[in-house]
Amino acid sequence: MKTLKIAIQKSGRLNEKSVELLKNCGLSFENYKSSLISPVSNFPLEILFLRDDDIPEYVQDGIADLGIVGENVIRETEVEVSYLQRLGFGKCSLKIAVPNNNSIQHLDQLNGKAIATTYPVILGKFLKEKNIQADIRTISGSVEISPGLGLSDAICDLVSTGGTLKSNGLVPFADVMSSEAVLIGRKGSEDEELVKELIQRIQSVLRAKETKYVVLNVHSDNLSAIISLLPGVKSPSVVPLAEENWVAVHTVIPERDFWNKISQLKQAGAQGIVVMPIEKIIL
């Protein structure tokens, strides 16, 4: 049987969440903090721990079948890979930022200015779309300090909370792109059975994070109103209780609707509402 290979970040902001996701998929592996390759003992899979910049190319070239990497890295390296699943973590934005005492107020004022970045490809395309001629200066490392050193008038870098910008006297000026961790595959890999199975596991974990399992009690007279609020995956499960004319309703609520639904359920006569996290949802 073929052994799949999946490449993930060895160290950095996506490493911990990537490892957590794979373990939540029921995959058993060890030594991931000290090894560049970790075999999975209960699934035909090997995990490769690589630098961010190397992951898309490993997948494109077929060295790895799959990869977990930030969308910003894929866009910057301009590789040919398939997007298989957005993963919902590692969310950030690539922004242009300027010193907080700067007179730049509009994008066209960047014409002729120097912008420091570690993402020259993405920034170059953005500026071209906006018809802006700027001097892109590629810098590896601490881009935020370049305006203070007189190396640039602005920067273009990834921003999560904005704390690093603020501590360096910078303010966000323009959004270039949004990014999050994505599962990628080499072209055609999405049709392979093992890849499909792994994607299904990942999707079941992601669905579970987005939903809550709800159990409540309601009088039969109010059951129709309750069911209209709780469609469930297909429909709610209704179980008779020992007390006559009372039933227990079991269903799943999307996290985004959670609090609104709870309020509406109480108004419709629900009692004893219990809300629980879900480990997996397999459709």
Side-chain angles (χ1 to χ4, degrees):
M1 178 182 292
K2 175 181 177 178
T3 297
L4 290 179
K5 291 181 173 61
I6 184 170
I8 69 172
Q9 189 182 61
K10 179 171 177 55
S11 61
R13 62 190 183 90
L14 299 187
N15 170 266
E16 185 176 336
K17 288 292 186 180
S18 298
V19 168
E20 178 185 343
L21 174 62
L22 294 177
K23 286 187 173 289
N24 285 340
C25 289
L27 303 176
S28 179
F29 54 95
E30 299 178 352
N31 301 323
Y32 61 89
K33 291 185 178 179
S34 59
S35 175
L36 296 178
I37 301 178
S38 262
V40 173
S41 61
N42 58 349
F43 191 83
L45 178 69
E46 289 181 339
I47 303 170
L48 312 181
F49 296 88
L50 306 175
R51 291 175 59 252
D52 262 3
D53 293 349
D54 294 332
I55 293 174
E57 291 186 10
Y58 268 57
V59 173
Q60 174 185 257
D61 297 342
I63 299 170
D65 302 282
L66 303 166
I68 296 177
V69 69
E71 187 176 4
N72 57 292
V73 180
I74 303 168
R75 294 262 302 266
E76 182 64 25
T77 54
E78 298 185 296
V79 296
E80 293 292 329
V81 294
S82 296
Y83 282 63
L84 303 180
Q85 180 68 50
R86 294 188 177 275
L87 300 176
F89 60 84
K91 292 185 177 182
C92 57
S93 298
L94 187 64
K95 295 178 180 289
I96 296 174
V98 297
N100 53 23
N101 59 355
N102 201 291
S103 61
I104 297 175
Q105 299 293 323
H106 306 286
L107 275 174
D108 57 10
Q109 291 178 286
L110 292 174
N111 276 298
K113 303 295 185 181
I115 307 175
T117 186
T118 55
Y119 297 95
V121 173
I122 299 174
L123 177 59
K125 291 181 178 180
F126 174 81
L127 295 177
K128 184 177 181 180
E129 290 173 358
K130 302 298 182 181
N131 198 29
I132 294 170
Q133 299 291 326
D135 178 14
I136 298 175
R137 298 183 178 177
T138 304
I139 295 179
S140 299
S142 301
V143 176
E144 295 87 355
I145 66 172
S146 62
L149 297 176
L151 299 176
S152 69
D153 302 293
I155 70 165
C156 179
D157 203 15
L158 286 180
V159 177
S160 295
T161 64
T164 303
L165 292 182
K166 185 176 181 180
S167 64
N168 284 278
L170 300 169
V171 292
F173 174 68
D175 291 326
V176 176
M177 69 166 290
S178 296
S179 178
E180 67 177 285
V182 292
L183 178 70
I184 59 173
R186 57 176 174 75
K187 293 291 185 178
S189 65
E190 60 269 28
D191 296 324
E192 298 177 8
E193 289 304 316
L194 282 177
V195 172
K196 288 180 180 179
E197 182 176 344
L198 185 56
I199 292 173
Q200 184 181 61
R201 291 193 185 198
I202 290 172
Q203 290 175 339
S204 73
V205 172
L206 297 178
R207 288 190 200 102
K209 287 184 176 181
E210 296 171 354
T211 55
K212 297 292 183 183
Y213 188 87
V214 175
V215 181
L216 58 87
N217 298 331
V218 64
H219 193 276
S220 299
D221 291 345
N222 298 323
L223 181 58
S224 295
I226 294 294
I227 289 178
S228 69
L229 294 170
L230 297 175
V233 175
K234 289 190 179 297
S235 62
S237 299
V238 179
V239 181
L241 296 177
E243 186 173 348
E244 188 176 359
N245 294 324
W246 280 84
V247 296
V249 179
H250 299 243
T251 194
V252 168
I253 297 179
E255 177 74 22
R256 61 183 180 274
D257 298 333
F258 175 69
W259 291 111
N260 287 339
K261 290 291 186 181
I262 294 300
S263 176
Q264 294 173 27
L265 289 168
K266 291 179 68 176
Q267 293 175 7
Q271 298 181 16
I273 302 173
V274 178
V275 182
M276 296 171 282
I278 301 172
E279 185 175 336
K280 309 282 189 302
I281 296 179
I282 301 173
L283 299 179

